[in-house]
């Protein structure tokens, strides 16, 4: 029997939660087969500048005149960068599930899968205009990421003014996973993703929203509170429904268009969706380098 999101979150133990979710995955825990230098022959590829000449198959060259390198399936050594939005809006809650807790479990599970596979992990947070690297790649990265996630709290807002982060501009080959609600006043998140772009990088964006955020359908008078500014406004649900739903539909479509680019994958999910389904979808749709 599959554990519910609320049951998993109530465990209050990210290591155990990650293990439970990974065991529920129908497609297994391996993130993808990659090819490199190893013992079991898998395929040939053309020699490229920078490759070790010792890897050239000279027997093949003597027959064909082509510089080819033998590749084999090996243990993966992918650089994975995990990023978490800690803006106050991440405290949004529906049916007992807070967005920030859902996000923590998504990151913890992916970190667990990557750790089992031997990938290199690092972890960053976005909070009140600051990008902070909490965990650098090391043999103990997974344990340190879990330690950081356990105590993370969302608060404050993200500035509208354009930010520049040198740490995002590296050109190394990596997979970046950013978990956020991607709610913005202007184009803050779009600009951040634009800054991260590079042909060597693959970027996966998890947009987590509540079911009522995606399609508001409640009747009665409600007090709506901005989780980043604490400003409150009282509105009639039926009156606000049409205008709100039109606005959120337009925004989600604009976000899809903005991120419809090579090597950028936007996953728009709701926090009532089983976490195991979201991660399974991620594993089945993406292709590592």
């Amino acid at each position: 029997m599959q554990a519910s999101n609320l049951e998993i979150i109530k465990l209050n133990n990210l290591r155990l939660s990650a293990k439970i979710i990974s065991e529920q995955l129908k497609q297994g825990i391996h993130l993808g087969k990659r090819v490199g230098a190893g013992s079991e022959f898998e395929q040939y590829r053309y020699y490229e500048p920078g490759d070790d000449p010792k890897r050239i198959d000279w027997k093949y060259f003597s027959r064909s005149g082509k510089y080819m390198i033998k590749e084999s399936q090996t243990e993966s050594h992918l650089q994975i960068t995990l990023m978490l939005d800690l803006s106050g809006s991440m405290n949004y809650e529906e049916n007992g599930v807070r967005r920030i807790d859902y996000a923590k479990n998504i990151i913890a599970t992916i970190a667990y899968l990557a750790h089992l596979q031997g990938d290199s992990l690092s972890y960053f947070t976005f909070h009140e205009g600051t990008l902070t690297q909490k965990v650098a790649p090391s043999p103990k990265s997974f344990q340190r990421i879990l330690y950081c996630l356990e105590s993370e709290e969302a608060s404050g807002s993200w500035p509208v003014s354009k930010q520049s982060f040198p740490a995002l501009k590296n050109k190394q080959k990596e997979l970046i996973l950013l978990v956020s609600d991607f709610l913005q006043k202007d184009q803050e998140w779009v600009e951040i993703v634009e800054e991260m772009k590079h042909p060597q990088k693959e970027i996966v964006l998890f947009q987590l929203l509540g079911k009522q955020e995606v399609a508001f359908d409640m009747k009665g008078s409600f007090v709506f509170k901005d989780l980043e500014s604490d400003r409150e406004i009282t509105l009639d649900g039926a009156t606000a429904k049409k205008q709100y739903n039109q606005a959120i539909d337009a925004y989600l479509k604009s976000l899809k268009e903005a991120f419809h680019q090579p090597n950028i994958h936007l996953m728009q999910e709701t926090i009532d969706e089983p976490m195991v389904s979201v991660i399974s979808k991620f594993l089945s749709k993406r292709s590592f380098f």
Side-chain angles (χ1 to χ4, degrees):
M1 183 177 178
Q2 192 176 100
S4 69
N5 291 337
L6 189 56
E7 288 171 333
I8 289 172
I9 288 170
K10 281 186 174 181
L11 289 172
N12 200 29
N13 184 322
L14 289 175
R15 181 185 291 272
L16 178 58
S17 298
K19 187 175 181 181
I20 290 172
I21 294 171
S22 69
E23 288 174 350
Q24 292 176 348
L25 289 170
K26 295 180 180 179
Q27 297 184 355
I29 61 175
H30 196 69
L31 297 186
K33 295 180 180 179
R34 288 185 288 282
V35 172
S39 58
E40 183 183 349
F41 175 67
E42 190 77 13
Q43 65 182 28
Y44 279 108
R45 70 168 174 81
Y46 284 100
Y47 172 83
E48 297 177 355
D51 287 332
D52 186 349
K54 293 179 182 178
R55 295 181 60 196
I56 294 175
D57 188 331
W58 295 108
K59 289 183 179 180
Y60 188 95
F61 172 77
S62 67
R63 298 194 304 270
S64 66
K66 297 178 181 179
Y67 294 97
M68 305 296 287
I69 286 179
K70 277 186 177 181
E71 288 195 323
S72 60
Q73 185 179 309
T74 65
E75 291 299 315
S76 53
H77 297 287
L78 179 66
Q79 171 58 45
I80 299 180
T81 299
L82 304 167
M83 295 182 162
L84 176 61
D85 172 15
L86 289 179
S87 301
S89 59
M90 292 294 286
N91 285 318
Y92 178 81
E93 181 177 332
E94 270 189 23
N95 300 319
V97 176
R98 288 196 310 157
R99 179 165 29 236
I100 185 65
D101 294 325
Y102 191 105
K104 287 180 181 182
N105 278 276
I106 291 289
I107 290 177
T109 303
I110 292 174
Y112 176 73
L113 299 177
H115 172 66
L116 291 179
Q117 188 167 282
D119 292 322
S120 178
L121 293 165
S122 61
Y123 170 63
F124 290 76
T125 58
F126 291 94
H127 187 227
E128 295 189 318
T130 301
L131 171 66
T132 304
Q133 183 174 23
K134 300 282 184 71
V135 179
S138 78
K140 294 185 178 180
S141 290
F142 172 61
Q143 291 82 358
R144 289 171 179 165
I145 289 171
L146 291 187
Y147 177 79
C148 289
L149 285 173
E150 294 282 3
S151 58
E152 297 291 25
E153 294 183 1
S155 64
S157 61
W158 190 262
V160 175
S161 58
K162 188 171 182 178
Q163 308 289 303
S164 182
F165 305 106
L168 298 181
K169 297 180 180 180
N170 70 75
K171 297 178 181 179
Q172 69 181 27
K173 198 172 187 179
E174 64 180 331
L175 170 67
I176 298 174
L177 303 174
L178 170 54
V179 185
S180 171
D181 52 25
F182 290 101
L183 298 177
Q184 54 187 6
K185 299 181 181 71
D186 192 9
Q187 293 290 307
E188 308 95 273
W189 285 112
V190 172
E191 290 169 353
I192 286 172
V193 175
E194 282 292 319
E195 194 168 5
M196 289 192 289
K197 278 175 29 181
H198 188 273
Q200 288 278 78
K201 299 179 182 180
E202 184 176 358
I203 303 171
V204 180
L205 309 171
F206 289 87
Q207 183 180 29
L208 305 180
L209 295 173
K211 196 172 182 180
Q212 289 297 327
E213 287 181 302
V214 174
F216 183 76
D217 188 23
M218 296 178 70
K219 297 179 180 179
S221 181
F222 296 91
V223 176
F224 294 88
K225 181 178 180 179
D226 185 334
L227 294 171
E228 296 190 3
S229 68
D230 287 333
R231 188 168 68 92
E232 295 182 351
I233 184 172
T234 302
L235 291 173
D236 175 68
T239 303
K241 177 180 176 179
K242 182 177 180 180
Q243 184 178 357
Y244 173 84
N245 286 338
Q246 287 177 342
I248 193 68
D249 282 348
Y251 173 63
L252 295 179
K253 287 178 183 178
S254 71
L255 209 60
K256 281 184 179 179
E257 291 173 0
F259 294 142
H260 186 64
Q261 302 182 49
N263 298 332
I264 297 179
H265 314 279
L266 174 63
M267 295 184 60
Q268 295 178 308
E269 309 294 340
T270 55
I271 57 178
D272 66 315
E273 181 77 9
M275 287 181 277
V276 64
S277 299
V278 172
I279 296 174
S280 179
K281 190 186 302 183
F282 158 68
L283 294 177
S284 64
K285 286 188 176 183
R286 67 154 320 280
S287 59
F288 282 136
F289 313 108

